[in-house]
Amino acid sequence: MNKFLGDTERLADELFLIGHDDYNGRPLAAANLLDAALAGAILAELALAGRITITRGEVFVADNRAWQDPVADRALGEMVRYGDGYDARGWLEFILPQVREQVGLRLVSAGALRRESRRGLTLRMTVRWPGRDPNRVAAPRVRLAAVLERSDQPLDIRNATLAALVRAGGMLRVLGLPEHAVAQRISAARRLLPPALADLLAAVDATVATTTLRPRR
């Protein structure tokens, strides 16, 4: 698969922005589902860039060169260290615990967000990611909604993958579109994805199913 080249945020960045309120930075979906979808987005970034491939649910490194990105390079480096043939679901579980913090900080470094932490009455620490420029942080949600509304045009690979991850993370409602029709469109587009991405999304679905049994963080 060729490297995706474009002017938009990286896939996990877009998913993160779609999944958080533009102003107060709160998650717009269950945090554990959002984390699972974000972990899938990191693997999808590597797959879209031709750095990994996924065959029958197993991950293989195709290009081990550093990408000069701390989030993707950390995941790729671990895959190189452990070797090929581990299943995608295992890598999702490995990436998932810190993925929201890592992607959030990537967007902070890019100037899109601020990181705010505070303790509530229960002394539990909460982290929020308010946008510095609401127009910029809203752009991925607006763009994806516009793409999904154009039912006469097929989704390209990247948008189909992003839309499937939005659905997996329980975030369809934030797009402001009729959920049933959009879900059908995403399902149809997903069936046309390359096998590597189809296998990855199946692993994300399995991980999401597991995370529903866990307490929210």
Side-chain angles (χ1 to χ4, degrees), residues 195-214:
L197 290 171
D199 285 354
L200 171 58
L201 290 172
V204 172
D205 287 342
T207 303
V208 164
T210 300
T211 63
T212 59
L213 303 177
R214 300 175 184 167

Side-chain angles (χ1 to χ4, degrees), residues 144 155-165 186 189-190 193 201:
L144 183 62
L155 297 179
D156 63 23
I157 289 173
R158 189 182 187 282
N159 283 323
T161 302
L162 176 60
L165 290 168
I186 293 171
R190 182 169 164 170
L193 286 172
L201 290 172

Side-chain angles (χ1 to χ4, degrees), residues 80-210:
V80 172
R81 185 161 74 92
Y82 280 95
D84 291 334
Y86 287 91
D87 64 82
R89 186 172 174 186
W91 282 116
L92 291 170
E93 294 282 356
F94 181 85
I95 295 169
L96 187 150
Q98 297 297 321
V99 69
R100 202 174 346 143
E101 180 77 2
Q102 291 170 356
V103 177
L105 289 176
R106 185 164 76 178
L107 284 160
V108 170
S109 296
L113 303 177
R114 300 189 309 275
R115 184 186 187 278
E116 297 180 353
S117 61
R118 65 187 68 177
R119 291 191 186 277
L121 294 177
T122 63
L123 300 183
R124 180 184 178 187
M125 183 68 75
T126 60
V127 177
R128 298 290 180 256
W129 306 91
R132 291 186 177 277
D133 178 354
N135 290 327
R136 177 179 176 186
V137 297
R141 188 179 307 118
V142 173
R143 185 191 66 78
L144 183 62
V147 168
L148 288 169
E149 274 192 307
R150 295 196 292 269
S151 58
D152 58 325
Q153 298 181 22
L155 297 179
D156 63 23
I157 289 173
R158 189 182 187 282
N159 283 323
T161 302
L162 176 60
L165 290 168
V166 168
R167 184 183 184 188
M171 294 176 275
L172 278 187
R173 62 180 179 79
V174 309
L175 298 176
L177 299 174
E179 290 188 34
H180 181 68
V182 171
Q184 287 184 320
R185 180 152 160 72
I186 293 171
S187 294
R190 182 169 164 170
R191 288 193 290 270
L192 301 177
L193 286 172
L197 290 171
D199 285 354
L200 171 58
L201 290 172
V204 172
D205 287 342
T207 303
V208 164
T210 300

